[in-house]
Amino acid sequence: MTEPKTGRPNILIIMVDQLNGTFFPDGPADFLHAPHMKALAARSARFRNNYTSSPLCAPARASFMAGQLPSRTRVYDNAAEYVSSIPTFAHHLRRAGYYTALSGKMHFVGPDQLHGFEERLTTDIYPADFGWTPDYRKPGERIDWWYHNMGSVTGAGVAEITNQMEYDDEVAFLAEQKLYHLARENDDAERRPWCVTVSFTHPHDPYVARKKFWDLYEDCPHLMPEVGMLAEQDPHSERILKSCDYASFDITDENVRRSRQAYFANISYLDEKVGSLIDVLTRTRMLEDTLILFCSDHGDMLGERGLWFKMNFFEGSARVPLMVAGPGVTPGLHLAPTSNLDVTPTLCDLVGISMEAVMPWTDGESLLPVINGAPRTTPVLMEYAAEASYAPLVGIREGKWKYIHCDLDPEQLYDLEADPRELTNLAETTDPVIRATLETFRQMREARWDMAAFDAAVRESQARRWVVYEALRNGAYYPWDHQPLQKASERYMRNHMNLDNLEDSKRYPRGE
């Protein structure tokens, strides 16, 4: 454990998209070609049983930023507005004097595309408007132009450039450029500490990878799921299959293998990006003064149980990696269930921001006591109220148990120690001890959620957005998408600048 040389540490957050946490049992699994992530894991506090707050991009990321559940942020789905008055970790850090910047995806919906970030280096990869709003008034309706379908699986393979690669290459380049710029300010006694969030869209489907990464997994022994298509699915899984138009596709074993091979390849693609970012920190002498947090918004089922993508609370979809390294962090593996909701209070606690200023605005808790050896005692909570659902679902992970509830469906209870693949629903048992455990979870759920009120709030939000979206698409259209500003006349060399001063100020380390 080290302390920063001066003042508060810098923070580098590396966020990826749809990375299944079961492949990070203690850092990256042995079979993954991820040397840079493995090196980061060796110096990190690693949280094996970490969960998303909601297994879908926008609600997961809004919750990650604020440490609040979707029922509190009201970001229920990928087209729900994230209101400006919700404090995020970027607000808390900026209030404490940090410079805050984002390079990459955060899937903010609405006219505020910053949410506490002082600067945003890229636009987002996904739209910021209400066009992707689901509609509980039409259960079972597929909105073909944006709903997932199985084409991502049947189309898996190799490409040297894609929409997503183009995006992540830009995200990494601009993030590295920003780190170099911040390094030039290292010697400034008045400089602000910084928090730079670098957020990639891989390994999110479509399952397409560059050949040099694809070839790493030609003989991979993990190209088929451990549990294939189930003969009988729970009702929500049936809804997911319908929403993904599964019946219209003939999914072969070769499709599955190629999809998983591309997914693993894209983890290696990301590993190269992680290595480059850490290399910049190392060469600019900022590494030992920088906290690094590695995380994902949600996971990907990758064919387990016959399911793909996310949208459920099973391990592949809901469990996500979380690693924290740097000043004040003792490396080690932690098994207690944790949540992405905990990131905001943890970051603030690690840099010395008063918890009294943070805790009223979060449903999470600081993991610093866990890192320092204290037990985690509170349950992990999850919510889902987006496409493929007809009413909100909630989940609770505590100890070895996972409980899932939707007013439309039979309850689910799994013992993850005895049944890590979640194949035996213990909510159907007559065992009195397990029935008592089930009743305890019911009481926890009833104390935390009013399911009828939750459902009503989601329906009202969806209905309002359908009216507004249809109105705003008529007549003159003003997009909410972030437009990064480039002040070209202030970059490189211009005639209002002194060439000698410019060259010296842009060099790091400075000349003798």
Side-chain angles (χ1 to χ4, degrees), residues 357-371:
V358 175
M359 293 313 293
W361 313 111
T362 177
D363 298 318
E365 62 182 73
S366 172
L367 297 178
L368 185 55
V370 177
I371 292 171

Side-chain angles (χ1 to χ4, degrees), residues 143-401:
I143 307 175
D144 286 334
W145 73 273
W146 64 267
Y147 264 36
H148 268 91
N149 66 48
M150 301 305 295
S152 289
V153 176
T154 58
V158 174
E160 292 307 309
I161 193 68
T162 64
N163 183 52
Q164 292 187 190
M165 289 179 207
E166 183 175 341
Y167 187 76
D168 278 353
D169 287 349
E170 178 185 19
V171 167
F173 171 77
L174 292 175
E176 290 177 30
Q177 190 179 61
K178 176 57 66 175
L179 291 177
Y180 281 123
H181 172 76
L182 293 167
R184 295 179 181 125
E185 300 174 353
N186 270 351
D187 299 329
D188 184 352
E190 301 300 317
R191 78 166 184 89
R192 298 156 66 194
W194 51 260
C195 175
V196 174
T197 300
V198 187
S199 186
F200 298 105
T201 191
H202 284 89
H204 192 293
D205 63 285
Y207 306 113
V208 178
R210 286 183 175 142
K211 189 174 189 304
K212 75 171 184 175
F213 301 112
W214 173 275
D215 288 348
L216 295 173
Y217 296 92
E218 280 294 344
D219 300 316
C220 177
H222 301 279
L223 296 184
M224 290 300 291
E226 294 187 19
V227 178
M229 176 66 78
L230 299 180
E232 184 176 349
Q233 300 274 10
D234 65 277
H236 182 62
S237 295
E238 290 282 1
R239 292 192 290 266
I240 291 173
L241 291 170
K242 290 178 182 177
S243 78
C244 294
D245 201 20
Y246 192 95
S248 297
F249 293 81
D250 179 19
I251 305 300
T252 67
D253 285 353
E254 181 63 14
N255 295 148
V256 173
R257 282 191 291 268
R258 290 175 66 82
S259 296
R260 289 171 67 97
Q261 183 169 350
Y263 184 88
F264 298 148
N266 281 326
I267 294 175
S268 295
Y269 165 81
L270 288 170
D271 185 74
E272 186 175 86
K273 306 295 189 193
V274 170
S276 294
L277 290 166
I278 294 176
D279 182 57
V280 173
L281 291 180
T282 302
R283 290 185 289 105
T284 56
R285 307 171 193 174
M286 296 192 292
L287 181 63
E288 65 185 73
D289 288 338
T290 302
L291 288 163
I292 301 176
L293 185 142
F294 178 89
C295 60
S296 180
D297 54 355
H298 53 76
D300 189 324
M301 292 300 290
L302 279 183
E304 295 287 346
R305 314 169 74 94
L307 300 176
W308 291 85
F309 321 124
K310 55 270 187 176
M311 302 177 282
N312 63 68
F313 296 143
F314 294 121
E315 291 289 276
S317 168
R319 192 169 130 199
V320 288
L322 179 63
M323 305 191 295
V324 186
V329 178
T330 303
L333 176 64
H334 302 278
L335 302 181
T338 57
S339 171
N340 276 0
L341 297 170
D342 301 330
V343 167
T344 286
T346 300
L347 289 175
C348 292
D349 204 6
L350 281 167
V351 302
I353 296 173
S354 168
M355 286 293 96
E356 291 184 2
V358 175
M359 293 313 293
W361 313 111
T362 177
D363 298 318
E365 62 182 73
S366 172
L367 297 178
L368 185 55
V370 177
I371 292 171
N372 292 334
R376 164 74 179 247
T377 57
T378 57
V380 166
L381 307 178
M382 297 178 282
E383 300 176 343
Y384 186 73
E387 57 260 32
S389 70
Y390 299 176
L393 291 84
V394 297
I396 304 173
R397 172 75 202 270
E398 184 174 49
K400 67 178 184 176
W401 301 102

